[in-house]
Structure formats: C-alpha cells, structure tokens
Amino acid sequence: MSRRTGTANGAADKDGSKVLSEGKTDRFSSGQEKQKMLLESDKGHFSMIKALHLADLITELNGFCGFMSILSSMRYCLDPTNYTPLYAALAFMPFGLFFDFMDGKVARWRHKSSLMGQELDSLADLISFGVAPAVSAFALGLRTPLDTLVLSFFVLCGLTRLARFNVTVSSLPKDATGKSKYFEGTPIPTTLAMVAVMAYWVSQGWVLQTLRGPGEVVLGALVGDKSQQQHGLWMVDNLPGGVWGAGTAWEWHPVAGVFVLWGCAMVSKSIHIPKP
C-alpha cells in the first residue's frame, strides 16, 4: 500500500490542500515542481529518468520483484516436475514488500515526495501483491475456467482498491502528523498471507502434479479419479479440498473461494485497519 501521496508528509486535508510540516514546505514544493518540469519537458529522451527520486527507484524494485515472480511461475508451468521456480515465485513477493516499506522511509528521510511516486507505488503493488499471487495460484493448479474467473476478480479488486486509495486518501481522518489513521479495506500487501499458505501447500505437495507414469492402468490404480491425461502426461490434482464438478462447465477448486473473500475484504468500505 502506498505511503507516499504526493504531499510533504503523505497526507492532505479534507479540502484537498497540502498539509506540510513547518520548515519543509519549500523543499517539498521545489522538488515536486522540478519533477513536474522534467516530466513535461519535450527535450531529451531520458528526461523522465532524471525526474525520478531515489524513493521512486526503490519502488521500481518492488515492481521488478513482482514481475520476476510472474516469470518464475511461468517457468514452473513449463516444467511442473521441478518446484524450484515455484518457490522462487513465492519468495520474490516478500522481497517486494521490503522495497514497498523502504520507498516510504526513504521518501520521508530525504523529504521528497511526488504524485508520480504515489502512482508508481500503486502500480508496483498491483504487480507484486495482486497479479503475482494470482499467477502463482494458477501455476499451483487453479486452472479451470471458473478458477481463472475467480483469480481475475481478485486482481480487479486489488486494482480497484488501489485506485480508491489514491482518490480518497486526502479525505480520510488524519492524526496529528497528517498521516491517515487507518486503511479503508485490507491493504493489498496483506495478500502475502495467502502466499505463505501457498508455500506450505507446495512443501506438502498439495499442488497439481505432473507425473510421467508407465501407463494408464498403473497410474489410474494409484491415483484414482484425481488423475487426468494431458499431452501424454498425467496430471494429479492434490490441491486441498479437491475439485468440484470435475468434467463439467462448473469445474472449480473450492480453495479458490479464499481469493473471492480476500478481494471483497480489499474493496470493503466498512473494514478499517489502523495504520502502524
């Protein structure tokens, strides 16, 4: 969740005006004006790079971790017999959280904040804590049409939640320092709790496994109804809760419902999570 809102101390009052700490107004204003000038300049191919603050570059590392997680999940799908890429996919996301925390600390330390930093933070969070967990869940075995619809709902809830935060952050109640008192809806980085659960599933082998068995008779006797043949390989569904409606248009994994609940919690207006 973004902690940089484009104002001096990460907040604005209810009228939308900036709330600036005494003695820091000039530094923040000049920094934002300089960045705005560089971004609007039509000269120089790399003017945008020059406009980035150190905190913005750290935010980029958050997005990098999320994208590397997605690539690792895709690599696992190419060779489902090797869990190493899947573990890497799940491990990249906590590193993204580290950079998500650090960018706000660096912005406050250097007294530099910007609207661009706010947008970068939200986009990076969507990649690392929205898209990446959904792709990892797909790689684990949530691959039926209904499963993918549920995962899409989860990602869109994360997208909507971040957009709402950017729009409403100025109207949320503030403490004495001008910082919002609470998050409206669960912050999107809390999806790392599901990532931890998925890591446990992998350690227990509770995933959609690919086996290269000697034949249909032997493998069928071993795994029963949970097996299906695809492209000459046997897929064994070991996900917790199994699969409902196998072979029908309504085939889905009940554990996918967790993503529905988490998505609803993110966009909820009645859930207030106190800020640390």
Side-chain angles (χ1 to χ4, degrees):
M1 197 66 239
S2 174
R3 297 191 178 197
R4 297 182 290 147
T5 58
T7 63
N9 55 4
D13 62 19
K14 291 184 178 180
D15 295 326
S17 60
K18 295 180 180 179
V19 179
L20 299 174
S21 302
E22 232 180 276
K24 297 179 182 177
T25 304
D26 293 339
R27 277 182 289 176
F28 277 101
S29 298
S30 62
Q32 291 185 18
E33 287 302 319
K34 180 180 178 182
Q35 186 181 60
K36 181 179 179 181
M37 179 187 67
L38 289 171
L39 289 173
E40 292 178 348
S41 173
D42 59 351
K43 297 179 181 178
H45 294 291
F46 302 104
S47 58
M48 186 184 71
I49 303 300
K50 296 177 183 178
L52 295 177
H53 297 153
L54 178 59
D56 299 334
L57 297 176
I58 295 175
T59 303
E60 300 275 7
L61 291 176
N62 177 10
F64 168 79
C65 289
F67 183 63
M68 289 301 294
S69 173
I70 294 171
L71 292 182
S72 297
S73 294
M74 294 170 64
R75 189 171 292 112
Y76 167 75
C77 291
L78 294 175
D79 182 13
T81 60
N82 180 16
Y83 286 170
T84 301
L86 192 52
Y87 278 119
L90 298 171
F92 270 116
M93 286 178 264
F95 281 107
L97 181 64
F98 169 76
F99 292 119
D100 188 39
F101 282 146
M102 287 303 297
D103 61 9
K105 290 184 179 296
V106 171
R108 289 188 291 272
W109 167 56
R110 301 195 69 203
H111 307 304
K112 287 188 177 181
S113 180
S114 67
L115 290 175
M116 184 174 181
Q118 173 187 340
E119 299 303 323
L120 280 174
D121 198 285
S122 294
L123 292 171
D125 283 356
L126 179 64
I127 297 172
S128 293
F129 312 124
V131 179
V135 174
S136 292
F138 178 88
L140 259 66
L142 300 183
R143 304 181 185 180
T144 71
L146 275 183
D147 289 341
T148 54
L149 192 62
V150 165
L151 294 177
S152 299
F153 171 80
F154 167 76
V155 173
L156 293 177
C157 284
L159 174 64
T160 306
R161 190 255 182 277
L162 291 167
R164 182 184 66 185
F165 174 83
N166 288 346
V167 171
T168 63
V169 64
S170 62
S171 62
L172 293 176
K174 307 294 188 298
D175 59 19
T177 65
K179 184 178 178 182
S180 299
K181 292 183 178 180
Y182 55 78
F183 291 111
E184 200 171 65
T186 55
I188 193 169
T190 59
T191 58
L192 289 183
M194 289 192 297
V195 173
V197 171
M198 289 191 286
Y200 178 73
W201 291 353
V202 177
S203 69
Q204 299 299 309
W206 298 344
V207 298
L208 184 64
Q209 295 181 326
T210 300
L211 302 176
R212 293 178 173 88
E216 179 178 349
V217 177
V218 175
L219 199 56
L222 288 174
V223 298
D225 295 336
K226 294 195 299 180
S227 66
Q228 55 179 324
Q229 192 174 22
Q230 294 182 4
H231 307 297
L233 301 176
W234 281 94
M235 312 295 292
V236 183
D237 196 335
N238 289 328
L239 283 169
V243 59
W244 290 3
T248 69
W250 309 108
E251 179 179 1
W252 82 301
H253 295 84
V255 293
V258 176
F259 286 87
V260 175
L261 295 176
W262 215 285
C264 292
M266 285 193 291
V267 298
S268 171
K269 193 166 181 64
S270 59
I271 296 178
H272 294 168
I273 308 296
K275 279 195 173 185

